[in-house]
Amino acid sequence: MAAACSNKIIDVFWHEGMLNHETGKGVFDSGTDPGFLDVLEKHPENSDRIKNMVSILQKGPIYPYISWQLGRPAQVPELLSFHAPAEYIDELVEADKQVEADKQGGKMICAGTFLNPGSWDAALLAAGTTLSAMKHILDGHGKLAYALVRPPGHHAQPKQADGYCFLNNAGLAVQLALDSGCKKVTVIDIDVHYGNGTAEGFYRTDKVLTVSLHMNHGSWGPSHPQNGSVGELGEGEGFGYNLNIPLPNGTGDRGYGYAMKELVVPAVHKFEPDMIVFVVGQDSSAFDPNGRQCLTMDGYREIGRIVHSLANKHSGGKILIVQEGGYHITYSAYCLHAILEGVLDLPQPLLCDPIAYYPEDEAFAVEFVEATRKYHKEMVPFLKGS
């Protein structure tokens, strides 16, 4: 394989300390042992998933296009740019002190979200590593950076943990971009779950366009009051700048591609961002235990290409990619590989899909996208008449 061109390099920001976040075993993500099962499974957000993502980038065919950068922990004052006021962070710091002193067990912060010894340090590493990746782009050292981080972050709201997330890594990076002179930032989130925390953080500003393509799961309790519906459009100056695309469960490559081209692309063109943050979760794959969508490597690759094209037109090619979910231990790594191939706009796939086959009927997705496009034209001020 020919050496990668310098303009086709992804700077991957990573720190192995993030593997020290232990999430335990139980019935899926509950942390419970009912007492009548011989084999308990690891919590879906475990370190094995990330180890495979690291290894496929080190050893897979994409490796010539990867430049490794060392992550670092965030300092508590940095967190307050998104997580303010400080009471929420103070609560997490105090909870960490308690679990570190106990050493016998952790603390459930909210459903499925466990703080164990080492978890807070890993969360600080995830936040700081994402901030470093954004600063790398802002300082002109590269155009494509990928924050390979855990624990994930896009469900963490300014004052609330949620859905395995303590700190909103992407939200912190968006705020850093704004504070550093970017006029407008677009967030495109393809995790199978609504990026409610990021949306909540920028719900009242017209400087950030948050777009989330997710399965139609609704609210899941006190930590996640948002329902991810098309009607959650933002408030005040931010009205119309939160676009939710809750695709019908079972949507696959063609349905996602249609939504990207008919809803996401026109909105980004109208918004004209000077920075794009691409929030990726491979839990929208056909084989993920935590999602009900049917993307394959081909679909992820095409989404990556579309984001690449948008960045070339609006942000000078600059894209920060932030890792979120993706819980199939092996296939998530393959889908990550495909996403990055797409973002690099490589002419041919580097890696074949080892398992994908799913008969897709995109009719429901197309019908939903058409109805959503009509709704956006009627309700979203900056899209009216587009």
Side-chain angles (χ1 to χ4, degrees), residues 172-196:
L172 288 162
V174 170
Q175 191 59 55
L176 176 62
L178 294 173
D179 292 343
S180 301
C182 290
K183 303 298 183 185
K184 295 180 180 180
V185 180
T186 289
V187 179
I188 301 172
D189 187 333
I190 63 167
D191 187 281
V192 80
H193 305 105
Y194 176 33
N196 60 310

PDB file of all heavy atoms in Angstrom, residues 172-196:
ATOM      1  N   LEU A 172     -17.906  20.025  25.317  1.00  0.00           N
ATOM      2  CA  LEU A 172     -16.743  20.806  25.749  1.00  0.00           C
ATOM      3  C   LEU A 172     -15.920  21.265  24.553  1.00  0.00           C
ATOM      4  O   LEU A 172     -15.440  22.412  24.512  1.00  0.00           O
ATOM      5  CB  LEU A 172     -15.887  19.972  26.694  1.00  0.00           C
ATOM      6  CG  LEU A 172     -16.470  19.742  28.093  1.00  0.00           C
ATOM      7  CD1 LEU A 172     -15.784  18.564  28.771  1.00  0.00           C
ATOM      8  CD2 LEU A 172     -16.332  21.006  28.944  1.00  0.00           C
ATOM      9  N   ALA A 173     -15.766  20.388  23.558  1.00  0.00           N
ATOM     10  CA  ALA A 173     -14.987  20.745  22.370  1.00  0.00           C
ATOM     11  C   ALA A 173     -15.698  21.814  21.543  1.00  0.00           C
ATOM     12  O   ALA A 173     -15.051  22.730  21.010  1.00  0.00           O
ATOM     13  CB  ALA A 173     -14.737  19.502  21.521  1.00  0.00           C
ATOM     14  N   VAL A 174     -17.012  21.719  21.433  1.00  0.00           N
ATOM     15  CA  VAL A 174     -17.775  22.743  20.709  1.00  0.00           C
ATOM     16  C   VAL A 174     -17.596  24.096  21.379  1.00  0.00           C
ATOM     17  O   VAL A 174     -17.351  25.113  20.715  1.00  0.00           O
ATOM     18  CB  VAL A 174     -19.268  22.361  20.651  1.00  0.00           C
ATOM     19  CG1 VAL A 174     -20.106  23.539  20.129  1.00  0.00           C
ATOM     20  CG2 VAL A 174     -19.475  21.139  19.753  1.00  0.00           C
ATOM     21  N   GLN A 175     -17.696  24.110  22.710  1.00  0.00           N
ATOM     22  CA  GLN A 175     -17.553  25.388  23.417  1.00  0.00           C
ATOM     23  C   GLN A 175     -16.153  25.952  23.253  1.00  0.00           C
ATOM     24  O   GLN A 175     -15.976  27.170  23.114  1.00  0.00           O
ATOM     25  CB  GLN A 175     -17.895  25.209  24.894  1.00  0.00           C
ATOM     26  CG  GLN A 175     -18.028  26.518  25.652  1.00  0.00           C
ATOM     27  CD  GLN A 175     -19.108  27.414  25.076  1.00  0.00           C
ATOM     28  OE1 GLN A 175     -20.256  27.003  24.951  1.00  0.00           O
ATOM     29  NE2 GLN A 175     -18.740  28.641  24.716  1.00  0.00           N
ATOM     30  N   LEU A 176     -15.146  25.068  23.248  1.00  0.00           N
ATOM     31  CA  LEU A 176     -13.775  25.539  23.016  1.00  0.00           C
ATOM     32  C   LEU A 176     -13.649  26.179  21.639  1.00  0.00           C
ATOM     33  O   LEU A 176     -12.997  27.231  21.485  1.00  0.00           O
ATOM     34  CB  LEU A 176     -12.795  24.372  23.139  1.00  0.00           C
ATOM     35  CG  LEU A 176     -11.329  24.704  22.823  1.00  0.00           C
ATOM     36  CD1 LEU A 176     -10.780  25.752  23.779  1.00  0.00           C
ATOM     37  CD2 LEU A 176     -10.468  23.438  22.855  1.00  0.00           C
ATOM     38  N   ALA A 177     -14.281  25.579  20.628  1.00  0.00           N
ATOM     39  CA  ALA A 177     -14.226  26.150  19.289  1.00  0.00           C
ATOM     40  C   ALA A 177     -14.865  27.534  19.265  1.00  0.00           C
ATOM     41  O   ALA A 177     -14.319  28.476  18.672  1.00  0.00           O
ATOM     42  CB  ALA A 177     -14.919  25.221  18.293  1.00  0.00           C
ATOM     43  N   LEU A 178     -16.002  27.682  19.909  1.00  0.00           N
ATOM     44  CA  LEU A 178     -16.670  28.989  19.962  1.00  0.00           C
ATOM     45  C   LEU A 178     -15.814  30.009  20.706  1.00  0.00           C
ATOM     46  O   LEU A 178     -15.665  31.158  20.261  1.00  0.00           O
ATOM     47  CB  LEU A 178     -18.038  28.857  20.629  1.00  0.00           C
ATOM     48  CG  LEU A 178     -19.089  28.024  19.892  1.00  0.00           C
ATOM     49  CD1 LEU A 178     -20.324  27.850  20.769  1.00  0.00           C
ATOM     50  CD2 LEU A 178     -19.473  28.673  18.565  1.00  0.00           C
ATOM     51  N   ASP A 179     -15.256  29.597  21.825  1.00  0.00           N
ATOM     52  CA  ASP A 179     -14.427  30.508  22.627  1.00  0.00           C
ATOM     53  C   ASP A 179     -13.137  30.889  21.912  1.00  0.00           C
ATOM     54  O   ASP A 179     -12.511  31.902  22.249  1.00  0.00           O
ATOM     55  CB  ASP A 179     -14.088  29.862  23.972  1.00  0.00           C
ATOM     56  CG  ASP A 179     -15.300  29.694  24.867  1.00  0.00           C
ATOM     57  OD1 ASP A 179     -16.328  30.349  24.609  1.00  0.00           O
ATOM     58  OD2 ASP A 179     -15.225  28.883  25.818  1.00  0.00           O
ATOM     59  N   SER A 180     -12.737  30.071  20.917  1.00  0.00           N
ATOM     60  CA  SER A 180     -11.494  30.318  20.182  1.00  0.00           C
ATOM     61  C   SER A 180     -11.710  31.079  18.886  1.00  0.00           C
ATOM     62  O   SER A 180     -10.763  31.249  18.114  1.00  0.00           O
ATOM     63  CB  SER A 180     -10.796  28.977  19.887  1.00  0.00           C
ATOM     64  OG  SER A 180     -10.499  28.287  21.085  1.00  0.00           O
ATOM     65  N   GLY A 181     -12.937  31.517  18.641  1.00  0.00           N
ATOM     66  CA  GLY A 181     -13.183  32.365  17.479  1.00  0.00           C
ATOM     67  C   GLY A 181     -14.044  31.779  16.385  1.00  0.00           C
ATOM     68  O   GLY A 181     -14.363  32.500  15.418  1.00  0.00           O
ATOM     69  N   CYS A 182     -14.418  30.510  16.480  1.00  0.00           N
ATOM     70  CA  CYS A 182     -15.338  29.963  15.479  1.00  0.00           C
ATOM     71  C   CYS A 182     -16.697  30.646  15.628  1.00  0.00           C
ATOM     72  O   CYS A 182     -17.201  30.820  16.733  1.00  0.00           O
ATOM     73  CB  CYS A 182     -15.493  28.456  15.648  1.00  0.00           C
ATOM     74  SG  CYS A 182     -14.025  27.510  15.195  1.00  0.00           S
ATOM     75  N   LYS A 183     -17.277  31.011  14.500  1.00  0.00           N
ATOM     76  CA  LYS A 183     -18.554  31.722  14.521  1.00  0.00           C
ATOM     77  C   LYS A 183     -19.732  30.760  14.642  1.00  0.00           C
ATOM     78  O   LYS A 183     -20.712  31.039  15.330  1.00  0.00           O
ATOM     79  CB  LYS A 183     -18.716  32.572  13.254  1.00  0.00           C
ATOM     80  CG  LYS A 183     -17.602  33.575  13.034  1.00  0.00           C
ATOM     81  CD  LYS A 183     -17.519  34.585  14.149  1.00  0.00           C
ATOM     82  CE  LYS A 183     -16.434  35.622  13.866  1.00  0.00           C
ATOM     83  NZ  LYS A 183     -16.259  36.561  15.017  1.00  0.00           N
ATOM     84  N   LYS A 184     -19.638  29.643  13.937  1.00  0.00           N
ATOM     85  CA  LYS A 184     -20.726  28.662  13.925  1.00  0.00           C
ATOM     86  C   LYS A 184     -20.142  27.251  13.920  1.00  0.00           C
ATOM     87  O   LYS A 184     -19.173  26.973  13.206  1.00  0.00           O
ATOM     88  CB  LYS A 184     -21.608  28.829  12.683  1.00  0.00           C
ATOM     89  CG  LYS A 184     -22.366  30.133  12.593  1.00  0.00           C
ATOM     90  CD  LYS A 184     -23.189  30.135  11.305  1.00  0.00           C
ATOM     91  CE  LYS A 184     -23.982  31.403  11.126  1.00  0.00           C
ATOM     92  NZ  LYS A 184     -24.772  31.363   9.858  1.00  0.00           N
ATOM     93  N   VAL A 185     -20.764  26.372  14.693  1.00  0.00           N
ATOM     94  CA  VAL A 185     -20.331  24.974  14.763  1.00  0.00           C
ATOM     95  C   VAL A 185     -21.535  24.078  14.494  1.00  0.00           C
ATOM     96  O   VAL A 185     -22.619  24.304  15.047  1.00  0.00           O
ATOM     97  CB  VAL A 185     -19.731  24.627  16.135  1.00  0.00           C
ATOM     98  CG1 VAL A 185     -19.291  23.170  16.173  1.00  0.00           C
ATOM     99  CG2 VAL A 185     -18.552  25.554  16.466  1.00  0.00           C
ATOM    100  N   THR A 186     -21.342  23.091  13.645  1.00  0.00           N
ATOM    101  CA  THR A 186     -22.372  22.066  13.429  1.00  0.00           C
ATOM    102  C   THR A 186     -21.941  20.774  14.090  1.00  0.00           C
ATOM    103  O   THR A 186     -20.791  20.346  13.946  1.00  0.00           O
ATOM    104  CB  THR A 186     -22.619  21.819  11.929  1.00  0.00           C
ATOM    105  OG1 THR A 186     -23.301  22.946  11.373  1.00  0.00           O
ATOM    106  CG2 THR A 186     -23.470  20.576  11.703  1.00  0.00           C
ATOM    107  N   VAL A 187     -22.869  20.155  14.813  1.00  0.00           N
ATOM    108  CA  VAL A 187     -22.668  18.827  15.399  1.00  0.00           C
ATOM    109  C   VAL A 187     -23.556  17.852  14.641  1.00  0.00           C
ATOM    110  O   VAL A 187     -24.771  18.047  14.552  1.00  0.00           O
ATOM    111  CB  VAL A 187     -23.034  18.809  16.895  1.00  0.00           C
ATOM    112  CG1 VAL A 187     -22.847  17.407  17.472  1.00  0.00           C
ATOM    113  CG2 VAL A 187     -22.211  19.827  17.674  1.00  0.00           C
ATOM    114  N   ILE A 188     -22.967  16.812  14.083  1.00  0.00           N
ATOM    115  CA  ILE A 188     -23.711  15.741  13.425  1.00  0.00           C
ATOM    116  C   ILE A 188     -23.487  14.478  14.229  1.00  0.00           C
ATOM    117  O   ILE A 188     -22.367  13.964  14.297  1.00  0.00           O
ATOM    118  CB  ILE A 188     -23.266  15.547  11.963  1.00  0.00           C
ATOM    119  CG1 ILE A 188     -23.461  16.838  11.169  1.00  0.00           C
ATOM    120  CG2 ILE A 188     -24.033  14.388  11.312  1.00  0.00           C
ATOM    121  CD1 ILE A 188     -22.856  16.793   9.769  1.00  0.00           C
ATOM    122  N   ASP A 189     -24.536  13.982  14.860  1.00  0.00           N
ATOM    123  CA  ASP A 189     -24.442  12.854  15.796  1.00  0.00           C
ATOM    124  C   ASP A 189     -25.177  11.660  15.193  1.00  0.00           C
ATOM    125  O   ASP A 189     -26.392  11.718  14.968  1.00  0.00           O
ATOM    126  CB  ASP A 189     -25.070  13.269  17.127  1.00  0.00           C
ATOM    127  CG  ASP A 189     -24.881  12.241  18.236  1.00  0.00           C
ATOM    128  OD1 ASP A 189     -24.746  11.048  17.932  1.00  0.00           O
ATOM    129  OD2 ASP A 189     -24.902  12.645  19.417  1.00  0.00           O
ATOM    130  N   ILE A 190     -24.441  10.550  14.948  1.00  0.00           N
ATOM    131  CA  ILE A 190     -25.061   9.360  14.360  1.00  0.00           C
ATOM    132  C   ILE A 190     -25.116   8.181  15.328  1.00  0.00           C
ATOM    133  O   ILE A 190     -25.422   7.059  14.917  1.00  0.00           O
ATOM    134  CB  ILE A 190     -24.362   8.943  13.044  1.00  0.00           C
ATOM    135  CG1 ILE A 190     -22.902   8.557  13.293  1.00  0.00           C
ATOM    136  CG2 ILE A 190     -24.476  10.043  12.003  1.00  0.00           C
ATOM    137  CD1 ILE A 190     -22.253   7.849  12.116  1.00  0.00           C
ATOM    138  N   ASP A 191     -24.821   8.416  16.599  1.00  0.00           N
ATOM    139  CA  ASP A 191     -25.052   7.388  17.610  1.00  0.00           C
ATOM    140  C   ASP A 191     -26.528   7.007  17.569  1.00  0.00           C
ATOM    141  O   ASP A 191     -27.391   7.825  17.253  1.00  0.00           O
ATOM    142  CB  ASP A 191     -24.681   7.938  18.984  1.00  0.00           C
ATOM    143  CG  ASP A 191     -24.720   6.917  20.089  1.00  0.00           C
ATOM    144  OD1 ASP A 191     -25.833   6.603  20.581  1.00  0.00           O
ATOM    145  OD2 ASP A 191     -23.646   6.423  20.478  1.00  0.00           O
ATOM    146  N   VAL A 192     -26.833   5.747  17.900  1.00  0.00           N
ATOM    147  CA  VAL A 192     -28.213   5.280  17.776  1.00  0.00           C
ATOM    148  C   VAL A 192     -29.142   5.933  18.795  1.00  0.00           C
ATOM    149  O   VAL A 192     -30.361   5.913  18.639  1.00  0.00           O
ATOM    150  CB  VAL A 192     -28.280   3.740  17.894  1.00  0.00           C
ATOM    151  CG1 VAL A 192     -28.232   3.284  19.344  1.00  0.00           C
ATOM    152  CG2 VAL A 192     -29.504   3.175  17.179  1.00  0.00           C
ATOM    153  N   HIS A 193     -28.586   6.548  19.830  1.00  0.00           N
ATOM    154  CA  HIS A 193     -29.379   7.228  20.846  1.00  0.00           C
ATOM    155  C   HIS A 193     -29.250   8.745  20.684  1.00  0.00           C
ATOM    156  O   HIS A 193     -28.206   9.256  20.283  1.00  0.00           O
ATOM    157  CB  HIS A 193     -28.928   6.813  22.243  1.00  0.00           C
ATOM    158  CG  HIS A 193     -28.940   5.337  22.460  1.00  0.00           C
ATOM    159  ND1 HIS A 193     -27.784   4.583  22.490  1.00  0.00           N
ATOM    160  CD2 HIS A 193     -29.967   4.474  22.616  1.00  0.00           C
ATOM    161  CE1 HIS A 193     -28.109   3.311  22.672  1.00  0.00           C
ATOM    162  NE2 HIS A 193     -29.415   3.215  22.744  1.00  0.00           N
ATOM    163  N   TYR A 194     -30.306   9.440  21.021  1.00  0.00           N
ATOM    164  CA  TYR A 194     -30.357  10.895  20.905  1.00  0.00           C
ATOM    165  C   TYR A 194     -29.233  11.548  21.702  1.00  0.00           C
ATOM    166  O   TYR A 194     -29.057  11.262  22.888  1.00  0.00           O
ATOM    167  CB  TYR A 194     -31.717  11.376  21.393  1.00  0.00           C
ATOM    168  CG  TYR A 194     -31.929  12.867  21.442  1.00  0.00           C
ATOM    169  CD1 TYR A 194     -31.334  13.732  20.515  1.00  0.00           C
ATOM    170  CD2 TYR A 194     -32.766  13.429  22.399  1.00  0.00           C
ATOM    171  CE1 TYR A 194     -31.553  15.096  20.568  1.00  0.00           C
ATOM    172  CE2 TYR A 194     -33.000  14.790  22.451  1.00  0.00           C
ATOM    173  CZ  TYR A 194     -32.382  15.620  21.537  1.00  0.00           C
ATOM    174  OH  TYR A 194     -32.609  16.974  21.583  1.00  0.00           O
ATOM    175  N   GLY A 195     -28.484  12.448  21.064  1.00  0.00           N
ATOM    176  CA  GLY A 195     -27.442  13.200  21.746  1.00  0.00           C
ATOM    177  C   GLY A 195     -28.042  14.321  22.574  1.00  0.00           C
ATOM    178  O   GLY A 195     -27.774  15.511  22.352  1.00  0.00           O
ATOM    179  N   ASN A 196     -28.837  13.928  23.562  1.00  0.00           N
ATOM    180  CA  ASN A 196     -29.634  14.891  24.328  1.00  0.00           C
ATOM    181  C   ASN A 196     -28.794  15.855  25.150  1.00  0.00           C
ATOM    182  O   ASN A 196     -29.176  17.015  25.333  1.00  0.00           O
ATOM    183  CB  ASN A 196     -30.596  14.145  25.246  1.00  0.00           C
ATOM    184  CG  ASN A 196     -29.881  13.249  26.244  1.00  0.00           C
ATOM    185  OD1 ASN A 196     -29.015  12.451  25.883  1.00  0.00           O
ATOM    186  ND2 ASN A 196     -30.228  13.386  27.518  1.00  0.00           N
TER     187      ASN A 196
END
